[in-house]
Amino acid sequence: DKVYPRHILIVMLETAPRRYYPLINNPKLPVFNRMSQHAIVSDHHYAMSPYTWWNNASIVSGSYFVQKGKGIFDYGDFSSDSMASILAAHGYTTTFVESAKHGWGKTTRFWKNFGFTHLLDTEGDPVPFDRASYAVTVDKERQSFLRALQAITAAESGNTKAFVMLGTTIGHYPWPAKPGAEHHSSEEKVFDIASIFDELLGELLQSLNDRGLSDQVLIVVTGDHGFRMRTEFESVGLKPEHGDAAFNVPFLLYGPGLFEKQIRIPYVTSHVDIAPTLLSLTGLQDDSWLHHGTNMLDQRLGNRATFMMNTNLSPVSGFRWNGCHYTLNDLTGNVQVRGGSPMNSMEASHCDQTSASLSDDTIRSMLQAANRQF
């Protein structure tokens, strides 16, 4: 009886490896800490691509929206069983908010094809977007949260619900530093960015509470992707690789009206699972919808291979299965197997046993088949 249509907000943190965005059960981030006590949370959630737009498309479509050799806006017009399209058909208003400028996403029909009616960005702001200014960039993020709040309150006043997707921008490398913190380490600067969003979400939740909407929202906070460029890895002393620092991102699905306590997912989940999960939590399910993902609460996900396709950034793609991280280099044909971030004490040793791993031919076959299908 707790499952019914609610306002939905998805907040995408820019370049946010989970290791450096410790949002869950962290007293140093008090708002995220409180949210995580009434949420689905995961330490094993993965982006499907190193590109923001691909991951946005994956989240809203529930599918591995990727094709090597194609740009994200090279598809022309299309339709899909996207979350925005489905929710719009059930009376939701649908809004995509960008803290910078939509640019190519606004000049094509890409987001409209996914079912977004309103595209809001900073293009018409009196103070233009300026990534070189810390104060301006933080203010743009605050404006985005205000736009999200306005979309929710406008829908509520119209006796309907809002679906809002919010793309942030301050997390881009080089990591910006607040005044006086220019000498801080990269890890400290990234944590300061997480603290900004802790504050902004606190302001949003207070505004929703003031309007009696606290229990009427589902809020997802996740990263669009992890590190991508060599400079990003090296800034924290890591070597670039296809692994957790690149794809493992924070995940929190806050629903105080649904979850009386924290629900921790012990198995691997993916951006493709977000749409099916949210649709289920609003009471919408249809077996005819084409989604690659599954409701995160479905324990069968524990046996699924979860893919991380590297699109056009590098020739290396991979997947997580049974605690191991498998990769294939399309150029060299080289296959690698190693442990991911272990979910239990058995996983790391399991991947050290070559006899327990998939064969090279099986790994190649799985990734090549996945690329064809996606």
Side-chain angles (χ1 to χ4, degrees):
D1 60 342
K2 291 184 177 181
V3 175
Y4 56 81
R6 286 178 166 86
H7 301 288
I8 297 173
L9 170 63
I10 299 178
V11 178
M12 298 286 289
L13 303 178
E14 173 61 49
T15 313
R18 183 189 62 83
R19 175 177 172 182
Y20 302 99
Y21 279 80
L23 309 185
I24 311 303
N25 301 340
N26 187 346
K28 294 182 179 179
L29 297 171
V31 176
F32 283 125
N33 186 34
R34 291 196 301 271
M35 292 174 70
S36 68
Q37 306 314 309
H38 300 278
I40 297 174
V41 302
S42 175
D43 290 335
H44 313 289
H45 186 81
Y46 285 78
M48 54 71 61
S49 163
Y51 286 109
T52 300
W53 293 109
W54 290 111
N55 284 305
N56 287 346
S58 177
I59 286 172
V60 74
S61 69
S63 65
Y64 289 101
F65 199 90
V66 57
Q67 184 172 343
K68 285 192 174 183
K70 261 195 173 180
I72 191 70
F73 299 113
D74 293 341
Y75 282 82
D77 284 341
F78 59 86
S79 62
S80 71
D81 292 322
S82 75
M83 186 161 36
S85 298
I86 291 167
L87 291 174
H90 286 81
Y92 275 66
T93 63
T94 55
T95 305
F96 193 99
V97 181
E98 170 65 50
S99 295
K101 294 182 180 180
H102 278 306
W104 52 10
K106 203 170 185 179
T107 56
T108 71
R109 289 182 49 84
F110 189 73
W111 294 119
K112 291 188 180 297
N113 287 336
F114 276 122
F116 287 103
T117 302
H118 306 288
L119 302 177
L120 307 178
D121 62 7
T122 65
E123 189 172 1
D125 290 352
V127 177
F129 179 80
D130 180 6
R131 196 181 301 278
S133 169
Y134 181 86
V136 169
T137 310
V138 171
D139 186 59
K140 297 304 179 188
E141 304 291 8
R142 177 167 276 107
Q143 290 179 44
S144 288
F145 277 80
L146 288 173
R147 288 177 171 123
L149 175 65
Q150 290 164 0
I152 291 171
T153 55
E156 183 69 20
S157 64
N159 200 31
T160 186
K161 300 299 178 186
F163 170 50
V164 184
M165 197 163 182
L166 194 166
T168 67
T169 192
I170 196 171
H172 276 112
Y173 184 83
W175 325 124
K178 59 186 178 183
E182 292 83 0
H183 65 287
H184 284 186
S185 68
S186 291
E187 292 92 333
E188 290 172 318
K189 290 177 181 177
V190 171
F191 187 82
D192 286 343
I193 296 171
S195 297
I196 291 170
F197 292 110
D198 192 73
E199 178 182 339
L200 293 178
L201 275 159
E203 294 172 2
L204 174 75
L205 294 180
Q206 184 60 56
S207 295
L208 291 170
N209 183 66
D210 292 344
R211 292 163 172 80
L213 297 175
S214 294
D215 289 348
Q216 302 301 311
V217 295
L218 296 171
I219 300 176
V220 170
V221 182
T222 189
D224 58 353
H225 50 72
F227 295 149
R228 299 178 295 179
M229 308 303 176
R230 180 176 297 276
T231 49
E232 295 170 355
F233 286 94
E234 292 178 347
S235 74
V236 294
L238 298 177
K239 293 182 178 180
E241 68 172 9
H242 188 294
D244 282 0
F247 293 96
N248 182 211
V249 293
F251 180 83
L252 179 156
L253 196 171
Y254 172 70
L258 272 177
F259 310 122
E260 296 179 358
K261 60 182 180 180
Q262 183 179 105
I263 300 173
R264 182 174 286 274
I265 303 295
Y267 37 78
V268 171
T269 58
S270 166
H271 279 348
V272 302
D273 302 316
I274 293 176
T277 304
L278 287 170
L279 289 168
S280 178
L281 293 177
T282 56
L284 298 176
Q285 296 186 69
D286 188 330
D287 290 340
S288 70
W289 292 334
L290 177 59
H291 294 146
H292 292 140
T294 301
N295 186 339
M296 291 182 183
L297 298 177
D298 188 334
Q299 296 185 14
R300 289 175 296 179
L301 286 176
N303 296 316
R304 181 191 65 179
T306 301
F307 291 88
M308 290 146 275
M309 309 302 288
N310 228 336
T311 55
N312 303 324
L313 186 65
S314 94
V316 181
S317 291
F319 62 94
R320 277 290 302 264
W321 179 71
N322 200 22
C324 300
H325 192 105
Y326 299 89
T327 58
L328 168 66
N329 187 315
D330 283 340
L331 290 182
T332 66
N334 184 48
V335 168
Q336 288 190 334
V337 185
R338 61 182 183 277
S341 54
M343 290 180 285
N344 57 61
S345 59
M346 297 295 294
E347 281 199 349
S349 59
H350 167 82
C351 289
D352 292 336
Q353 300 171 6
T354 55
S355 61
S357 300
L358 299 174
S359 70
D360 286 5
D361 285 344
T362 299
I363 296 165
R364 291 190 186 96
S365 176
M366 287 180 65
L367 281 163
Q368 290 165 357
N371 191 53
R372 288 193 302 271
Q373 180 173 333
F374 302 156

